[in-house]
Each structure stands twice: as C-alpha cells, then as structure tokens.
Amino acid sequence: MAHFGFSMLWYWLAYFVVTGIGICHTLLNITVLHMKSMKESGGMGEGYERTKPWHPLYNIVVFPLFAYLYFNGWETVALADAIVTSLTWGTITVVFDVIGWVLVKHPWSLTFKAFYIDYQPWITLVYIAIYASPLIAYGVMATR
C-alpha cells in the first residue's frame, strides 16, 4: 500500500468522526430528550441503546466519504487498491474496537457479550459498512 500514511490519516479521521457523532447522539438523547443515562439505568442506558440502529448509518455515510477523499488525491485507483484499503480499514476497526471498547476499562466500555452478542445486528452492520466503504468509493470514482 503505497499511500499507507494517508490511508491511516483518513481512516482515523473517519473513525473519530463516527465515534463523535455516536457520543453526541447519545448525549442529545440524554440531555434534550431526557432518556435514561448509564448512571440512571445501571446498563448502558436508554440514551445509548436508542442510538444503536443509527450506528451502521453513521458508518455507511462517513467512511465512504472519507475513502473517497483519500482516493481522490490519487492519479489512478485500481480495484486492488480499494480491496487492500477495505481489508486494512476493516481489520484495524475490529482490532481497535476490542481493545478500545472491551479490554480497556472506561465508563463506556462493554463486556465481550455486550459488544459482540447484545450489540447485534448493529456491530456486524457497522463492520460490513466499514469493509465496504473503500469499495463503494472506488465504485463511485469508476463511474465518473
């Protein structure tokens, strides 16, 4: 992957934008819509739980956009480039998620069960969206 540094720049920007959107959505639900927080409910809280169906949507909008911006600087983009980027971005997400949302303990961390069983089908759809994003961007670019 000749552009690995730029790939990581665009990937991490997308990852943190999506994460920020999810956090803001949760906080909006709690503060404006008066849904229960983690403290009030003992679990992740209604404010977070109500955002879950939106998570794949955030990802299927943000990641292809950032993949498009990443590829847009290239002179030519081959399908092989999109596939390598897809595998890289998706795999990094899976690994980083288990570290950042399960293994490292913080107020919003989850158990393996909560993240990989209770968060279904949303986490699977999120991963599909991220793996598909460079291919979607490639497809859009190939039609222009």
Side-chain angles (χ1 to χ4, degrees), residues 107-122:
W108 287 17
S109 64
L110 300 165
T111 64
F112 278 99
K113 180 183 179 295
F115 199 75
Y116 295 105
I117 307 278
D118 300 340
Y119 189 18
Q120 291 298 338
W122 314 118

Side-chain angles (χ1 to χ4, degrees), residues 56-135:
L57 179 63
Y58 308 151
N59 284 274
I60 203 62
V61 170
V62 172
F63 271 92
L65 173 64
F66 280 70
Y68 180 88
L69 293 170
Y70 165 56
F71 289 137
N72 197 41
W74 294 28
E75 194 169 310
T76 59
V77 180
L79 178 59
D81 298 317
I83 291 170
V84 168
T85 302
S86 168
L87 293 173
T88 302
W89 286 17
T91 304
I92 288 171
T93 302
V94 171
V95 171
F96 187 74
D97 279 356
V98 74
I99 294 168
W101 295 110
V102 178
L103 297 178
V104 174
K105 298 305 175 199
H106 53 80
W108 287 17
S109 64
L110 300 165
T111 64
F112 278 99
K113 180 183 179 295
F115 199 75
Y116 295 105
I117 307 278
D118 300 340
Y119 189 18
Q120 291 298 338
W122 314 118
I123 190 61
T124 298
L125 295 172
V126 164
Y127 290 153
I128 290 169
I130 293 170
Y131 274 106
S133 292
L135 302 171

Side-chain angles (χ1 to χ4, degrees), residues 8-36:
M8 291 297 90
L9 172 68
W10 287 109
Y11 166 78
W12 287 111
L13 286 170
Y15 189 93
F16 287 115
V17 165
V18 164
T19 301
I21 291 169
I23 290 169
C24 288
H25 190 176
T26 299
L27 295 174
L28 174 88
N29 284 352
I30 293 167
T31 59
V32 176
L33 302 177
H34 307 291
M35 293 180 189
K36 291 183 180 177

